[in-house]
Amino acid sequence: MRFTKKRSKKAGLPPGTLVHIGDKESGDARITIIDYDEAHFEEKIVNTIEECMVFRDKPTVTWIDVDRIGRVEIVERLGECYGLHPLVLEDILSTDQRPKMEDYGDYTYIVSKMLYYNDKNHQIEVEQISLILGRNFVISFQEGKEGDVFDVIRERLRKAKGRIRRMGADFLNYALLDAIVDHYFIILERLGERVEALEEDLVKHPTAKTLHEIHNLKREMIFLRKAVWPLREVIGGLQRGESPLIQETTRVYLRDVYDHIIQVMDTIETLRDMVSGMLDIYLSSVSNRLNAVMKVLTIIATVFMPLTFIAGIYGMNFKYMPELEWSWGYPVILIGMGFIAVSMLLYFKKRRWL
Amino acid sequence: MRFTKKRSKKAGLPPGTLVHIGDKESGDARITIIDYDEAHFEEKIVNTIEECMVFRDKPTVTWIDVDRIGRVEIVERLGECYGLHPLVLEDILSTDQRPKMEDYGDYTYIVSKMLYYNDKNHQIEVEQISLILGRNFVISFQEGKEGDVFDVIRERLRKAKGRIRRMGADFLNYALLDAIVDHYFIILERLGERVEALEEDLVKHPTAKTLHEIHNLKREMIFLRKAVWPLREVIGGLQRGESPLIQETTRVYLRDVYDHIIQVMDTIETLRDMVSGMLDIYLSSVSNRLNAVMKVLTIIATVFMPLTFIAGIYGMNFKYMPELEWSWGYPVILIGMGFIAVSMLLYFKKRRWL
Amino acid sequence: MRFTKKRSKKAGLPPGTLVHIGDKESGDARITIIDYDEAHFEEKIVNTIEECMVFRDKPTVTWIDVDRIGRVEIVERLGECYGLHPLVLEDILSTDQRPKMEDYGDYTYIVSKMLYYNDKNHQIEVEQISLILGRNFVISFQEGKEGDVFDVIRERLRKAKGRIRRMGADFLNYALLDAIVDHYFIILERLGERVEALEEDLVKHPTAKTLHEIHNLKREMIFLRKAVWPLREVIGGLQRGESPLIQETTRVYLRDVYDHIIQVMDTIETLRDMVSGMLDIYLSSVSNRLNAVMKVLTIIATVFMPLTFIAGIYGMNFKYMPELEWSWGYPVILIGMGFIAVSMLLYFKKRRWL
Amino acid sequence: MRFTKKRSKKAGLPPGTLVHIGDKESGDARITIIDYDEAHFEEKIVNTIEECMVFRDKPTVTWIDVDRIGRVEIVERLGECYGLHPLVLEDILSTDQRPKMEDYGDYTYIVSKMLYYNDKNHQIEVEQISLILGRNFVISFQEGKEGDVFDVIRERLRKAKGRIRRMGADFLNYALLDAIVDHYFIILERLGERVEALEEDLVKHPTAKTLHEIHNLKREMIFLRKAVWPLREVIGGLQRGESPLIQETTRVYLRDVYDHIIQVMDTIETLRDMVSGMLDIYLSSVSNRLNAVMKVLTIIATVFMPLTFIAGIYGMNFKYMPELEWSWGYPVILIGMGFIAVSMLLYFKKRRWL
Amino acid sequence: MRFTKKRSKKAGLPPGTLVHIGDKESGDARITIIDYDEAHFEEKIVNTIEECMVFRDKPTVTWIDVDRIGRVEIVERLGECYGLHPLVLEDILSTDQRPKMEDYGDYTYIVSKMLYYNDKNHQIEVEQISLILGRNFVISFQEGKEGDVFDVIRERLRKAKGRIRRMGADFLNYALLDAIVDHYFIILERLGERVEALEEDLVKHPTAKTLHEIHNLKREMIFLRKAVWPLREVIGGLQRGESPLIQETTRVYLRDVYDHIIQVMDTIETLRDMVSGMLDIYLSSVSNRLNAVMKVLTIIATVFMPLTFIAGIYGMNFKYMPELEWSWGYPVILIGMGFIAVSMLLYFKKRRWL
């Protein structure tokens, strides 16, 4: 289930016990190290944590990206090497964390959520991204889902685009968060398109399928909101300088990310309001159509029931029914029936049922 | 779509990259410069940014109005000339910003939304207005939609009406914001009229069209709220003196604008409440009419079904049916049927169905 | 319309331009001056503002009451004479203000709303009351609707009832606000009676008229809330001493008014909750009655359709239908039909439909 | 009406005018005086206020309990004697006050609401209890409804149970409030039982009566909430030490009362949520039953209409209808009809309508 | 009832009177004492409180766990021995407390709720856990429900797993709270599974049972929320250091528990939103099915009523009906009827009813 992960297997274990909670991932972790300053750039893919050690005490900025965190040992070794608190390691491995920021003095631990739009089942998929920001390093942990929004950052570092190579680790940290938040807009556009398509459907020919699409959209919105809302506080905290590792110059940029988050929340709320409104409209349309159906039934019944009754009267077998003997009886009755039918229809016309 | 603009094309670009997000506008930007103090007034339309430079260091107040911001270079040049932060330039070009105020020390950056009521499709249209308030200048950026609410300000400056020529750049900045907010009342009046017309419709003859009108009004209200609500904070911040560029004497005027914004929000909320109430009434009316239809059907069926059954009885071809032979059989049966019909109708009368 | 006044005619005018926004009132303003201290009392109706001037610098308390503010000049002259800010004068003339308090040092400007219950159309009518509280004067501006709640205050001043003559201008200001708020309780009683009457209606025989009454009550409640809610903040501010003109001894009395406002709000909320609940009940009753109607229809149809079918069978003209020849055929069939009818009714009895 | 009392008769009177607002009570006030310290205890019922005077300046704790406050003079005399503010006296007599606390330096004025569950009409009845807490006295005013929750306190004082005789007036004040709040739990239990009974009804056989019971419960909940909610603030304020007359040792006890109030509010909210949920369920059940009714109707009509039609065909009197002459015509038609009926029923079976 | 316990029997008793409020439990209390420091560990089950005394003044950490608090004397004796306030003892015995924290200087009193998922009736069951945290001891009181989440802590203490034996009483207190909160996730998983199952039901074949399951889930959610929500404040308070007994090193761990609580609340809200959405969907489906039923009825009636009427016409017994004499009359009429039926069906096809 997307809303409650299997946390139960951890219940009762002592704090700091490292257990991976999340979808099973095959394959090993992929560790990429990028080390840079304004003049110098080095990138390599390593197999063992020991290779990271050499960068630890260099003055250059080091970015260690761990993709696929399924194997507990790697996280454990990195933790030992960089002196991370056991609770941090535990949280990195528990992929059902809420976005949050925790300041541990020497380093700041940030949990955020990368979101992908799955085109097959039209559901939003989530990947937990943990960031450790130190004085001269950033360690990022990904769950290892397909696609990687950090590629653009790597490219920018390689080509020294923008100011990123001239700035410190806190700017790299900002750039990673910015890449994550920027990606949310893509999700919003997809949802926006679905809302628009749905609105057209609703006006033209609402069906039971429309109803389920409304329901699904609502659920995706709940899901999206749950991932984005707490990130607002996280980035707000970073921007207000709750972490001593963020420099003044970077805060302006974080304010920009904060604005984006607010904009994302705003749009989610707007879409939610619209989808809620659609449900009301759908329900009203269903009632309206029921009304239309009932009117047809009532008109038919009201016109034909009296007529059938009259025909029934003259179908009776009484011996003495004078009308039956008249030579004009039949046409007179037919005309009388026509008159009844027409006046009924006029009555309905007057009541605006036709 | 009105609710989510094409932000995706910016995802992954470094911060400060200038890309225009918004509707494509044909034609070049139109730059108007007005330079004034109490004694002196100069107005000209320029083609190149270089012509603005001369006013930069003069003690007089300079207002540079850039209409149609489609071309990136003009914004870039102005930014260089007045030393604006790259993120500010980026935000000016991204026309899906939320109203906000950012203080950069030397200048204050304000985003607000001009709203127009489109009489053709009865939708509210939005134009982003960015204001840069400096010590002795105001730069305003418009998207270049038809109509311009700043004309009244220009007229006032030309004719030295009111105190505007005697005050500084912060008062000009106030006057521009005031013109924007004053225009909201026109939108509200239009919506108010629609709500009133709708209410009359609802009482007289609600149709499926009424339902869609309710839905549309609700959507416009969501849209309006999204544009106005954050402006409240912006003007509240200016009035409380969060920007050092606002002088004490101007704050009283900003408090006035703040009151107007609150009044706008208040009216939006009231209209929202009324529209919500209408939906309830609409749904109830639909149910009521269904009830009315069903009553007609039930009355007709209840009166004629027993009668038709009796006629059916005496239409049977049994050899030995003594009633058929009686000479009074036919009139007796007719009278009996009449009696049944009348008592049914009396029963419905008693139950208040007639 | 009651919810949005014609503000548009002011859009674009410079701040402080005096334009009267509100219902047209015929006739001139009526200016009443009351000047008093513990020993002395003087009351006169004047025609020109100049006559007010003499009281300005006297140590006694002066109350200038301006009824019907349609003529702009009177407000303008008073403003000049007492040194009021142009924005205050503008607000006095704009009768769609939200209740608010603004402190201008020498004087405090208070906007409040007098409410009347119109017995003809059962709507609440609103009159804007502006109060200017100075060190030794109070100026009150009324729109000039019929009836005047300030008469009781005048009477009290004339007869030196209570402590009012012994206290300063701030106490007079309190007394005027108290008179306004006390009048709200009368409105609430009227609404309360309507809610009660409606509740009885709802239980006994809900009709479409009940629905519209619910809707109207809801709208009046929205209207009432809009006028009362912001007054809470105003009086709260006065009581907390946000205006330096309010003396300590008067604050206890303002706390009393504040309590009344809270009580008014409380009652409005309660009535709102009750009216909302009624709508739910109404909708449920409609559904219930639909159910009842449908049951009658279904019972009738279920009893008579099979019987009519059987009669139809024996009305067929086949040559060889042995039953028709039997001498007991007719009574046997009649008994069979009776049996079917009775068992159907028993079935419905069992399902609790009867 | 229970929600708006006749306040209108006070509109326009000067502040501090003593008028009794509330239900008329026959009979005189009953004044009970209890004077105690750890060693000494005295209790007497007095007729005139003058008899209270002797206790005023004694160091012992004096509790004056005034039951039935209908006569204005008694309140007035007590006010004079203990130096109470006219507004306090006015509030004591206005029995539609909201629970509140006001500190007047020498004494603290507390308004609270005693609630009784009326077993006859299943409504909650309210009695206003005003408490005046002074340094060495407590004066309590009751409206004089039947039953008295203060009896337990009197008993405790007489028998010197618990620590009450060893503590000061503030502890007595606490004890009185505690007795009031404790009584709320009894109301909650009654409502809880009704909610439970209703829930069972709802599952077994919901009727229109269920609907009205839901409505009534909702109204009682609104009523209860209105009386309890503001008391939270009152006791919170006392506990935080907003009154200088409350000693440190008593605060721990007030915190306990505060917890109880929170618990009461909590339970009210829970019950409200449950009752709201029930309304939804009720509406759904009504819809479900309508569906069931309609299915029966549709099945009957769908089975018998075609059959009746066929019988009608062979009831026609055409001269040349070959089928009528066949000797097997009648049984063949009967079998055909049976076949149609069975296939219709199978169709409904397949669609899960049976 | 689960929502209101029998508090009434305590109404009117003096504060600090010890009465057990809660379900009757048979059997005696079971008292387990664990005394430990890093080197030493002692565990024993005692029968009398006197045996606890010896541990009181030792420097080691003592954990006294009292299971089944039905007998008042044990709580009373423990209270005397450890100097607990009478109100604390009262609260321990009242098992309908809201989670709360109270600091009494020497010790901190914490109320929390252990939740169990009852697999038989699918209801959540609650057990009140009171914790007394002192400088070197923790006393825990349980109601004595089956199962004990503290077993894992005991095991960890015995085996000296993790850091628990190296830390003080505040860490033990944290560990107990952590065990309680961890268990909430198990409840959430169960509810999550039910929500998922329900969602599938809703799409495939919603029945009246689905409706009751939705209702039950909603009620469980209300119940869960009531138990968890206030615990948030409690643990937040502990983590912010509102109790002087919590050491700095333990706070990081409490922050972790706090995060878990937030996550639990988050998930509850998400599930609530989903269940609410389901109710809307259910109601819509019911309306949709009603529509479908009515369409079938209307189609049948509309096709057969005119046909039956025509058959009725030619079943009349008029002497002079020329059509009856024609040899082609019968087949022509049959063909005419077929034509009417087909055109009706085509009409319904066009209106998308088929």
Side-chain angles (χ1 to χ4, degrees), chain E residues 8 13 19 82 101 107 205 212 228 234 289 294 321 346:
Chain E
S8 53
L13 293 182
V19 177
Y82 282 92
M101 177 196 66
Y107 57 94
H205 34 70
H212 274 104
V228 175
V234 171
R289 269 180 303 149
M294 293 313 300
M321 291 179 67
L346 285 176

Side-chain angles (χ1 to χ4, degrees), chain D residues 27-255:
Chain D
D28 284 334
R30 198 182 46 198
I31 305 170
T32 322
I33 298 181
I34 291 178
D35 189 79
Y36 67 91
D37 60 10
E38 203 171 347
H40 140 103
F41 178 85
E42 186 180 349
E43 178 173 9
K44 61 174 174 176
I45 292 167
V46 299
N47 294 319
T48 59
I49 292 299
E50 279 62 34
E51 300 179 59
C52 308
M53 301 300 108
V54 291
F55 298 103
R56 208 182 58 180
D57 301 316
K58 279 198 190 170
T60 51
V61 178
T62 313
W63 171 22
I64 305 175
D65 180 51
V66 183
D67 209 353
R68 274 190 225 112
I69 51 161
R71 276 203 18 242
V72 168
E73 304 81 50
I74 287 166
V75 175
E76 207 168 9
R77 292 299 317 275
L78 260 172
E80 277 168 30
C81 165
Y82 281 92
L84 305 180
H85 196 282
L87 287 177
V88 168
L89 302 181
E90 196 186 339
D91 283 355
I92 287 169
L93 285 165
S94 309
T95 62
D96 61 345
Q97 294 295 310
R98 217 173 162 258
K100 63 176 177 183
M101 177 197 67
E102 285 176 355
D103 180 36
Y104 283 87
D106 279 348
Y107 58 93
T108 298
Y109 171 51
I110 297 163
V111 180
S112 65
K113 298 283 176 182
M114 186 63 225
L115 299 177
Y116 299 98
Y117 191 90
N118 185 330
D119 278 312
K120 278 174 220 138
N121 57 8
H122 293 285
Q123 288 196 341
I124 296 168
E125 283 179 6
V126 68
E127 179 180 6
Q128 176 164 315
I129 311 263
S130 296
L131 298 174
I132 306 281
L133 165 64
R135 203 152 304 271
N136 67 339
F137 65 91
V138 171
I139 314 178
S140 57
F141 297 89
Q142 306 184 45
E143 281 189 68
K145 299 260 160 87
E146 266 175 72
D148 193 341
V149 287
F150 291 166
D151 279 343
V152 290
I153 310 288
R154 263 178 224 116
E155 200 54 32
R156 239 191 279 161
L157 281 169
R158 279 180 210 127
K159 306 204 171 147
K161 252 200 215 157
R163 75 202 60 204
I164 194 164
R165 287 270 291 276
R166 294 195 302 275
M167 313 284 279
D170 59 333
F171 194 87
L172 175 60
N173 182 59
Y174 145 73
L176 296 177
L177 287 172
D178 191 42
I180 290 168
V181 172
D182 263 13
H183 205 78
Y184 292 171
F185 285 103
I186 293 171
I187 309 275
L188 283 182
E189 271 171 38
R190 304 301 287 268
L191 289 179
E193 282 159 17
R194 275 171 73 187
V195 168
E196 266 203 334
L198 203 54
E199 198 148 62
E200 228 180 276
D201 255 37
L202 200 62
V203 175
K204 285 199 188 138
H205 34 70
T207 61
K209 236 191 87 222
T210 318
L211 181 63
H212 274 104
E213 174 71 358
I214 290 176
H215 183 52
N216 287 340
L217 260 175
K218 247 186 156 169
R219 212 179 34 195
E220 292 309 301
M221 234 81 98
I222 293 173
F223 190 72
L224 188 57
R225 200 173 184 280
K226 202 186 161 190
V228 176
W229 181 251
L231 196 57
R232 202 182 119 267
E233 278 171 69
V234 170
I235 294 178
L238 286 172
Q239 172 227 322
R240 278 190 309 274
E242 287 178 9
S243 162
L245 298 161
I246 304 286
Q247 287 163 42
E248 196 63 45
T249 46
T250 306
R251 283 201 205 151
V252 176
Y253 290 91
L254 282 167
R255 186 166 67 180

Side-chain angles (χ1 to χ4, degrees), chain E residues 135-311:
Chain E
R135 202 151 305 271
N136 67 340
F137 65 91
V138 172
I139 313 177
S140 57
F141 298 88
Q142 306 184 45
E143 280 189 69
K145 297 260 160 88
E146 266 175 71
D148 192 340
V149 287
F150 291 166
D151 278 344
V152 289
I153 310 287
R154 261 177 227 116
E155 199 55 32
R156 240 192 276 163
L157 282 169
R158 278 180 212 127
K159 305 204 171 148
K161 255 200 215 155
R163 74 202 61 205
I164 194 164
R165 286 271 290 277
R166 294 195 301 274
M167 313 284 279
D170 58 333
F171 194 87
L172 175 60
N173 182 60
Y174 145 72
L176 297 177
L177 286 172
D178 191 41
I180 290 168
V181 172
D182 263 13
H183 205 77
Y184 292 170
F185 285 103
I186 293 171
I187 310 274
L188 284 182
E189 272 171 37
R190 303 301 287 270
L191 289 179
E193 282 160 16
R194 276 171 73 186
V195 168
E196 267 203 334
L198 203 54
E199 199 148 61
E200 228 181 276
D201 255 36
L202 201 62
V203 175
K204 285 198 187 140
H205 34 70
T207 61
K209 236 191 87 219
T210 317
L211 181 63
H212 274 104
E213 174 70 0
I214 290 176
H215 184 52
N216 287 341
L217 260 175
K218 247 185 157 170
R219 209 178 37 194
E220 292 309 301
M221 235 81 97
I222 294 173
F223 190 71
L224 188 58
R225 199 173 185 281
K226 202 186 162 191
V228 175
W229 182 252
L231 195 58
R232 201 183 120 267
E233 277 171 69
V234 171
I235 293 178
L238 286 172
Q239 172 226 323
R240 279 191 307 274
E242 286 178 9
S243 161
L245 298 162
I246 304 286
Q247 287 163 43
E248 195 62 46
T249 46
T250 306
R251 283 201 205 151
V252 176
Y253 290 91
L254 282 167
R255 185 166 68 179
D256 197 53
V257 183
Y258 186 72
D259 280 354
H260 290 176
I261 281 279
I262 297 284
Q263 210 172 325
V264 168
M265 285 310 305
D266 234 47
T267 309
I268 292 174
E269 289 310 310
T270 306
L271 291 177
R272 263 168 78 111
D273 279 359
M274 289 182 73
V275 171
S276 290
M278 279 193 228
L279 189 63
D280 287 343
I281 298 300
Y282 180 79
L283 282 171
S284 310
S285 319
V286 169
S287 294
N288 267 337
R289 269 180 303 149
L290 183 59
N291 249 353
V293 170
M294 293 313 300
K295 276 181 190 166
V296 169
L297 177 58
T298 304
I299 290 167
I300 288 288
T302 312
V303 169
F304 283 103
M305 275 191 161
L307 300 186
T308 305
F309 166 62
I310 292 171

Side-chain angles (χ1 to χ4, degrees), chain E residues 62-73:
Chain E
T62 313
W63 171 22
I64 304 174
D65 180 51
V66 182
D67 208 354
R68 273 190 226 112
I69 51 159
R71 278 206 13 245
V72 168
E73 304 81 50

Side-chain angles (χ1 to χ4, degrees), chain B residues 38 156-157 159-167 171 253, chain C residues 13-17:
Chain B
E38 204 169 348
R156 239 192 278 162
L157 281 170
K159 306 203 172 148
K161 253 200 216 156
R163 74 201 62 205
I164 194 164
R165 286 270 290 276
R166 295 195 301 276
M167 312 283 279
F171 194 87
Y253 290 91
Chain C
L13 292 182
T17 311

Side-chain angles (χ1 to χ4, degrees), chain E residues 22-193:
Chain E
D23 304 330
K24 280 270 155 53
E25 292 296 330
S26 59
D28 284 334
R30 197 182 48 197
I31 306 170
T32 322
I33 299 180
I34 290 179
D35 189 79
Y36 67 90
D37 61 11
E38 202 170 348
H40 139 105
F41 178 85
E42 187 181 350
E43 177 173 10
K44 62 175 175 174
I45 292 168
V46 301
N47 294 318
T48 58
I49 292 299
E50 279 61 33
E51 299 180 59
C52 309
M53 301 300 107
V54 289
F55 298 102
R56 207 182 60 179
D57 300 316
K58 279 197 190 171
T60 50
V61 179
T62 313
W63 171 22
I64 304 174
D65 180 51
V66 182
D67 208 354
R68 273 190 226 112
I69 51 159
R71 278 206 13 245
V72 168
E73 304 81 50
I74 287 166
V75 175
E76 207 167 8
R77 292 300 316 275
L78 260 171
E80 278 168 29
C81 165
Y82 282 92
L84 305 181
H85 196 283
L87 287 176
V88 168
L89 301 180
E90 197 185 339
D91 284 353
I92 288 169
L93 286 164
S94 309
T95 62
D96 60 346
Q97 294 294 311
R98 221 174 158 255
K100 64 176 176 181
M101 177 196 66
E102 286 176 354
D103 181 35
Y104 284 86
D106 280 348
Y107 57 94
T108 297
Y109 172 49
I110 298 163
V111 180
S112 65
K113 298 282 176 182
M114 186 63 225
L115 299 176
Y116 300 99
Y117 190 90
N118 186 329
D119 279 310
K120 278 176 221 137
N121 56 9
H122 293 283
Q123 289 196 342
I124 296 168
E125 282 180 7
V126 68
E127 179 180 5
Q128 175 163 318
I129 310 263
S130 295
L131 298 174
I132 307 282
L133 165 63
R135 202 151 305 271
N136 67 340
F137 65 91
V138 172
I139 313 177
S140 57
F141 298 88
Q142 306 184 45
E143 280 189 69
K145 297 260 160 88
E146 266 175 71
D148 192 340
V149 287
F150 291 166
D151 278 344
V152 289
I153 310 287
R154 261 177 227 116
E155 199 55 32
R156 240 192 276 163
L157 282 169
R158 278 180 212 127
K159 305 204 171 148
K161 255 200 215 155
R163 74 202 61 205
I164 194 164
R165 286 271 290 277
R166 294 195 301 274
M167 313 284 279
D170 58 333
F171 194 87
L172 175 60
N173 182 60
Y174 145 72
L176 297 177
L177 286 172
D178 191 41
I180 290 168
V181 172
D182 263 13
H183 205 77
Y184 292 170
F185 285 103
I186 293 171
I187 310 274
L188 284 182
E189 272 171 37
R190 303 301 287 270
L191 289 179
E193 282 160 16

Side-chain angles (χ1 to χ4, degrees), chain B residues 64-100:
Chain B
I64 305 174
D65 180 51
V66 183
D67 209 353
R68 275 191 225 110
I69 51 159
R71 275 198 24 237
V72 167
E73 304 82 49
I74 288 167
V75 175
E76 207 168 9
R77 290 302 316 275
L78 261 171
E80 276 169 30
C81 167
Y82 281 92
L84 306 180
H85 195 284
L87 286 176
V88 168
L89 302 181
E90 197 186 338
D91 282 355
I92 288 169
L93 286 164
S94 309
T95 62
D96 61 345
Q97 294 295 310
R98 222 173 159 255
K100 63 175 177 182

